[in-house]
Amino acid sequence: MQDIIDAYQEAGFARERAASQQALEAAQQELDCLFPEALLALYTDHNGMPASKEWLPMRLMSLEEVTDFHQVVLEYGWDLWGLRVFWTDDNSNYAGLYITGPLAGKVCWIDHGEIDPTPVYASVRSFLCVLSWRPFRRK
């Protein structure tokens, strides 16, 4: 994940300051889950990205946004499937990550027009590679 984080920095994407350990622990408790390593790496680098017109089609939400949106996750019962939502396009479309269960680690689109939480990406890494339209090589 560090290569993706480095590429975001090199591209000059606006990013918020890193999430504190206390904020990460509080979010995990609020969402009733443990974050996978890839997600922890993102949040220990930056606590989300501000809404902007940059070329990324989705942005990582801050932990506060994620915990606020979690009410929607609970209302739809997605939490029972192990799904949590971490990315948005700021137009009522989201990307969710399966944290637990047989789909753990997979990412899905949640389109406001047609809600279908079928996994589309095998991992956070593959999702971020598609978002940025560049292949990142593992170091």
Side-chain angles (χ1 to χ4, degrees):
M1 287 301 299
Q2 190 58 49
D3 55 339
I4 293 174
I5 292 168
D6 291 346
Y8 278 15
Q9 185 174 15
E10 290 170 17
F13 292 132
R15 299 173 301 157
E16 300 295 345
R17 290 187 177 161
S20 68
Q21 187 63 35
Q22 182 180 10
L24 281 164
E25 289 171 6
Q28 290 176 97
Q29 184 173 4
E30 180 76 22
L31 300 177
D32 191 27
C33 68
L34 294 176
F35 291 1
E37 207 173 298
L39 200 58
L40 285 173
L42 292 173
Y43 280 111
T44 55
D45 178 71
H46 58 282
N47 186 8
M49 303 169 93
S52 71
K53 300 298 181 194
E54 294 189 78
W55 63 274
L56 283 176
M58 290 254 172
R59 67 175 180 82
L60 182 68
M61 294 191 295
S62 70
L63 292 174
E64 182 179 351
E65 290 174 297
V66 169
T67 56
D68 287 347
F69 189 79
H70 192 60
Q71 185 60 42
V72 174
V73 171
L74 294 172
E75 287 173 15
Y76 278 98
W78 297 334
D79 61 312
L80 301 174
W81 304 340
L83 183 63
R84 304 298 186 273
V85 176
F86 296 97
W87 293 270
T88 184
D89 67 356
D90 294 310
N91 289 307
S92 300
N93 298 304
Y94 299 89
L97 174 64
Y98 285 91
I99 300 288
T100 62
L103 300 176
K106 305 211 179 325
V107 177
C108 70
W109 288 111
I110 301 171
D111 184 290
H112 70 274
E114 183 178 333
I115 298 175
D116 178 5
T118 301
V120 180
Y121 300 98
S123 66
V124 170
R125 179 178 194 63
S126 62
F127 170 68
L128 295 177
C129 287
V130 170
L131 277 187
S132 64
W133 295 99
R134 68 188 291 178
F136 294 100
R137 293 188 175 92
R138 293 188 188 269
K139 291 185 178 180

